[in-house]
Amino acid sequence: WGPDASTISNADGNKLMLHDMWGELSFADVADSTAPVKGLDYLALKIGRQEIIYDDQRLLGNLDWLQQARRHDAAILKIAHKGFQINLGAAFNQNAELKQQTIYVPGNVAAGTPANQITASGTTNPAGTNGIGQLYKSFQYLYIAKKIGATKVSGLFFKDDFQKSVVNGTRTFVPGINSRLTSGFNVASVLGKTPGHSLAVNVSAYYQGNRDKEGAPLDAYFTSIYTSYQAGKLAIGPGFDFYSGNNGTGSSRVNRRFDPLYGTPHKFNGLMDYFYAADGHGPAGLKDMYLKSRYTQGVFTTSLDVHQFFSGNKVAYKSETPVVTTSYESDLGMEVDLVSTYTLGKYIAFEAGYAHFFGTRTLDRIKTNGFPTASTYVPKQLNANWVYLMINLKPDFLSSKPVATL
């Protein structure tokens, strides 16, 4: 239970991977007269290794673009009654079977710390897709949602805990945890729906506080609004995401970088995953203005998305002590994503995608820590291209359809 990161890597070793295995124990079900608990539409406990998906997957999602996807060893109490959905969830991680022997009490193996968190040399197993570098020790959350007509309103209260550590040349884990608190809401609605026309709107806002994984005070927030107007075969709409960040030209003991938890970042800030995916994007935050479009004609679907990125806060021109006040411009660049899909029957789809990123020196500064005044600095290539071809196979292994006999 809980021995692996929420996403796997080569550092975990070559082994058989079990992505999803859980059981859901039903205690109340309005459709089952034999259920032991009465008075609720549905009551169940879902326990085991499972994907956790809510709303648009901004903070909690299955990250299905990665072949291994994302899952958690968790227990979730699920309640549904009169249109309300209430979920109480909790997870715990031991991170590794091996223990270091000299962390708390020399020679006491039982008091050791997991070997695959941040090691003394600073290396880590990639435990997440947001650059957090350290898997949560535990988390607990409350999710409440209510659907009113064509509108769904939901609230999330999430606490994740990280093993405390101290750094004196090397990192040493000590007893105790640093707890991070994230809370907010999401509203998804379909407005003015008429035959062949509809307008979908999604608004969300979240606040992050208490302590980050290093124990520093945390004061960060995120806001988003995006729309999609459907007119026959065409869907198009603008959007704006804002992730708060730290001021690179000043100094503060308060961390203002918002972390998008354990969601599906590939879905939001461009298909090339420059932000809040592999490297976490650093402390500056992000402003993402975008226009997304999709056209469907029978078995063919084509989407074209354009993103314009800006830093969420000032980016320091170079690293000096004391910190200089000069900063880069906020423009990080533009990304264009083009994807076409051809569906062949019920279980097979072919997909082709092309993306192009027009980067800036500010992006170079954030991603490579490059200093234009240093003699060893080599400017990086600012344009990037990416193309992929994919075949999606989704067989139905457990079909209830009758099997034809000869």
Side-chain angles (χ1 to χ4, degrees), residues 155-224:
L156 176 68
F157 306 89
F158 191 94
K159 180 174 81 75
D160 49 349
D161 310 308
F162 301 89
Q163 186 76 43
K164 282 187 176 180
S165 64
V166 294
V167 180
N168 293 312
T170 60
R171 184 180 297 273
T172 302
F173 285 91
V174 297
I177 57 174
N178 293 314
S179 296
R180 178 174 62 180
L181 304 178
T182 305
S183 61
F185 69 89
N186 184 84
V187 179
S189 182
V190 179
L191 307 174
K193 188 174 183 180
T194 59
H197 299 269
S198 64
L199 176 64
V201 180
N202 197 101
V203 179
S204 58
Y206 296 96
Y207 175 77
Q208 216 161 59
N210 202 42
R211 300 280 176 175
D212 64 14
K213 64 184 180 69
E214 301 291 351
L218 184 60
D219 183 17
Y221 63 95
F222 164 83
T223 59
S224 171

Side-chain angles (χ1 to χ4, degrees), residues 22-337:
W22 48 266
E24 184 160 323
L25 312 176
S26 176
F27 304 109
D29 190 340
V30 70
D32 183 4
S33 60
T34 64
V37 178
K38 310 298 181 183
L40 291 173
D41 291 346
Y42 191 72
L43 174 65
L45 178 65
K46 185 178 181 181
I47 187 167
R49 179 163 292 185
Q50 57 191 284
E51 296 178 345
I52 299 179
I53 301 172
Y54 290 114
D55 301 325
D56 59 357
Q57 303 192 42
R58 177 78 67 170
L59 299 186
L60 293 172
N62 64 353
L63 193 63
D64 201 32
W65 169 254
L66 288 181
Q67 295 306 304
Q68 69 269 24
R70 189 198 295 281
R71 77 289 181 276
H72 307 269
D73 291 342
I76 303 175
L77 181 66
K78 305 169 67 175
I79 304 172
H81 190 66
K82 297 187 181 302
F84 280 94
Q85 176 189 356
I86 302 174
N87 285 183
L88 285 166
F92 174 79
N93 279 305
Q94 57 192 10
N95 296 311
E97 298 296 337
L98 300 177
K99 299 285 185 178
Q100 298 174 0
Q101 297 186 16
T102 58
I103 301 302
Y104 308 143
V105 181
N108 187 344
V109 176
T113 193
N116 74 334
Q117 287 184 327
I118 302 176
T119 65
S121 63
T123 60
T124 68
N125 279 353
T129 55
N130 48 16
I132 198 168
Q134 179 182 345
L135 184 61
Y136 59 81
K137 187 65 179 175
S138 61
F139 70 62
Q140 310 85 43
Y141 72 87
L142 169 65
Y143 175 83
I144 303 175
K146 170 68 173 177
K147 191 168 185 181
I148 307 171
T151 300
K152 180 181 179 181
V153 181
S154 64
L156 176 68
F157 306 89
F158 191 94
K159 180 174 81 75
D160 49 349
D161 310 308
F162 301 89
Q163 186 76 43
K164 282 187 176 180
S165 64
V166 294
V167 180
N168 293 312
T170 60
R171 184 180 297 273
T172 302
F173 285 91
V174 297
I177 57 174
N178 293 314
S179 296
R180 178 174 62 180
L181 304 178
T182 305
S183 61
F185 69 89
N186 184 84
V187 179
S189 182
V190 179
L191 307 174
K193 188 174 183 180
T194 59
H197 299 269
S198 64
L199 176 64
V201 180
N202 197 101
V203 179
S204 58
Y206 296 96
Y207 175 77
Q208 216 161 59
N210 202 42
R211 300 280 176 175
D212 64 14
K213 64 184 180 69
E214 301 291 351
L218 184 60
D219 183 17
Y221 63 95
F222 164 83
T223 59
S224 171
I225 179 171
Y226 58 88
T227 64
S228 180
Y229 177 69
Q230 180 83 40
K233 301 174 182 178
L234 176 66
I236 187 170
F240 176 72
D241 299 342
F242 178 79
Y243 302 79
S244 67
N246 295 310
N247 186 340
T249 64
S251 60
S252 173
R253 60 187 297 267
V254 178
N255 183 4
R256 304 189 188 280
R257 175 191 181 274
F258 185 88
D259 187 296
L261 297 181
Y262 313 102
T264 303
H266 183 75
K267 179 181 177 182
F268 298 101
N269 306 125
L271 297 184
M272 295 184 75
D273 290 335
Y274 269 67
F275 308 101
Y276 301 104
D279 63 3
H281 176 52
L286 183 70
K287 298 175 184 176
D288 179 9
M289 297 187 297
Y290 51 89
L291 180 68
K292 296 188 175 185
S293 61
R294 178 183 297 269
Y295 183 82
T296 302
Q297 176 66 53
V299 296
F300 291 95
T301 299
T302 299
S303 65
L304 177 64
D305 302 342
V306 180
H307 296 260
Q308 176 62 55
F309 300 106
F310 298 91
S311 62
N313 212 321
K314 292 183 178 180
V315 179
Y317 185 72
K318 57 182 178 178
S319 179
E320 289 183 350
T321 303
V323 177
V324 296
T325 57
T326 305
S327 63
Y328 277 87
E329 63 178 10
S330 62
D331 185 8
L332 298 178
M334 176 183 290
E335 180 175 336
V336 179
D337 301 325

Side-chain angles (χ1 to χ4, degrees), residues 384-395:
N385 298 274
W386 177 56
V387 63
Y388 72 91
L389 298 172
M390 181 166 62
I391 302 176
N392 289 318
L393 305 175
K394 298 182 179 180

